[in-house]
Amino acid sequence: MDIEGWVWWLIGAAGLGIPLVLTAMPEFGMFAVGALAAAGVAGLGGGVVSQVLVFVVVSVALIAVVRPIANRHLSQRPGQATGVDALKGRQAVVLERVDGSGGRIKLAGEVWSARSLDGGTSYEPGQQVDVVEIDGATAVVL
């Protein structure tokens, strides 16, 4: 029993999909797509040379086009700050007098301990302050 060429290409595509899943290397996925394209050529009656050429061209094209785009997305930092970084620059309302030794503010709906950035400056209850940084569990305000 002779197995047709397109079946071999499908087996190759499945074989390339296994290391893609195990190693998370997207290049294997691009080779698998190339093998699927070659299986399509084989299914349409293309010769071995055209099958191999389609495999190579599709695989190389995907690597040349998709890989730089993926690397660019991986190297970009997320545009939205999270955690305590998201609190920097926000405004808060003073609940208890804030000076260099401490106080309380309401920041993002929660009560935080706070101290003024300049130890000589104090803020009275009801005043709006800007959060400059978060030092542990204390907001440093200005």
Side-chain angles (χ1 to χ4, degrees):
M1 184 168 156
D2 192 23
I3 298 178
E4 294 187 33
W6 65 272
V7 176
W8 286 112
W9 283 110
L10 288 179
I11 292 169
L16 288 166
I18 293 169
L20 168 67
V21 172
L22 295 176
T23 64
M25 291 180 60
E27 291 82 3
F28 285 112
M30 295 172 206
F31 287 132
V33 171
L36 288 174
V41 170
L44 293 173
V48 174
V49 173
S50 61
Q51 294 171 30
V52 172
L53 280 174
V54 166
F55 170 74
V56 170
V57 168
V58 169
S59 298
V60 169
L62 284 173
I63 289 173
V65 173
V66 175
R67 193 170 179 206
I69 294 170
N71 285 337
R72 189 170 41 243
H73 283 285
L74 288 175
S75 66
Q76 292 177 345
R77 292 188 171 254
Q80 188 172 2
T82 58
V84 294
D85 291 331
L87 299 175
K88 293 177 186 174
R90 294 196 58 183
Q91 286 195 333
V93 177
V94 176
L95 297 177
E96 296 175 12
R97 181 185 167 132
V98 175
D99 54 24
S101 61
R104 296 253 183 244
I105 60 170
K106 186 164 193 163
L107 171 62
E110 297 180 356
V111 177
W112 281 73
S113 61
R115 72 176 194 294
S116 64
L117 179 63
D118 176 16
T121 307
S122 63
Y123 304 97
E124 298 301 322
Q127 277 188 289
Q128 295 266 342
V129 291
D130 293 321
V131 177
V132 177
E133 67 178 293
I134 303 293
D135 182 21
T138 301
V140 180
V141 297
L142 179 63

